[in-house]
Amino acid sequence: MSSKEERIAILKKEFVEENTYNRPIYCPECAGVMVYKGVGEYVCEKCGFVAYDDYGKARNYVEEHMGANAAEVSKATGVSQRAIREMLKEGRLEIAPNSTLFLRCEICGATIRWGRFCPKCEMAYHKDLEEMARKSRRNDDTFGYSTERRTGEAGSKRFSRDD
């Protein structure tokens, strides 16, 4: 396997654990339940206290300070630089167009402003995933709505009436 194929194989492994970005669950003021309102914002259902998860903090800071780098955002908000990189890779945040810093495509190494792949590699990646899904469906034992009949035990009736 070439190094490019190895990288693609590694990338195809999906993350099992979802990043929670330190989402507030209980209100720090009254211990009420925090309800998600969108864009990283949570509101206490009892007292109305507003809190933000890491994404909300980083997003609000970037909106107020256009062009801030990850170190500045991390220092000002307390959000780890690793979490900020993950947000960039997920496409939740974007590097400013006038920035000299960029991310690299995980397949070909081209410079990108957000996400994991450049547009060309992203299309190829999803095309490969679709092809793998098609192959697995073809190899599956089911026939769907086909007119073909199954043979053997797989094609037998599930229940039979004894007359």
Side-chain angles (χ1 to χ4, degrees):
M1 241 204 280
S2 72
S3 63
K4 185 176 178 179
E5 290 172 340
E6 289 172 354
R7 284 186 289 187
I8 291 172
I10 291 169
L11 293 172
K12 287 184 179 179
K13 293 180 181 177
E14 296 298 324
F15 294 109
V16 176
E17 190 174 307
E18 182 181 330
N19 192 338
T20 60
Y21 296 127
N22 296 319
R23 294 183 175 125
I25 298 170
Y26 300 106
C27 178
E29 302 290 317
C30 70
V33 176
M34 300 297 283
V35 179
Y36 182 68
K37 293 297 179 182
V39 195
E41 182 179 324
Y42 296 80
V43 177
C44 176
E45 64 183 9
K46 280 186 181 178
C47 69
F49 179 78
V50 177
Y52 295 94
D53 62 8
D54 288 350
Y55 169 65
K57 292 174 191 174
R59 184 175 186 273
N60 289 339
Y61 186 82
V62 169
E63 283 182 355
E64 293 173 15
H65 304 90
M66 286 290 196
N69 62 29
E72 294 169 351
V73 175
S74 178
K75 185 176 179 182
T77 61
V79 177
S80 71
Q81 288 190 33
R82 181 177 185 211
I84 293 169
R85 279 192 304 273
E86 287 299 316
M87 289 178 219
L88 287 165
K89 287 181 179 185
E90 290 172 3
R92 294 172 147 237
L93 296 176
E94 182 177 334
I95 295 174
N98 58 355
S99 177
T100 58
L101 302 172
F102 291 96
L103 294 172
R104 296 265 177 205
C105 173
E106 295 180 10
I107 295 175
C108 71
T111 58
I112 53 177
R113 292 184 10 209
W114 60 273
R116 294 173 54 201
F117 310 116
C118 66
K120 184 179 91 176
C121 291
E122 185 168 7
M123 287 193 51
Y125 174 75
H126 288 292
K127 193 174 185 180
D128 289 347
L129 286 179
E130 289 173 7
E131 184 61 33
M132 286 172 48
R134 269 191 233 107
K135 283 181 182 177
S136 71
R137 275 188 247 127
R138 271 189 236 130
N139 295 338
D140 195 4
D141 195 29
T142 61
F143 282 80
Y145 295 105
S146 169
T147 57
E148 297 179 42
R149 293 183 149 243
R150 292 186 185 178
T151 58
E153 192 173 318
S156 64
K157 292 181 180 179
R158 188 168 182 190
F159 301 103
S160 62
R161 293 186 182 167
D162 293 329
D163 292 333

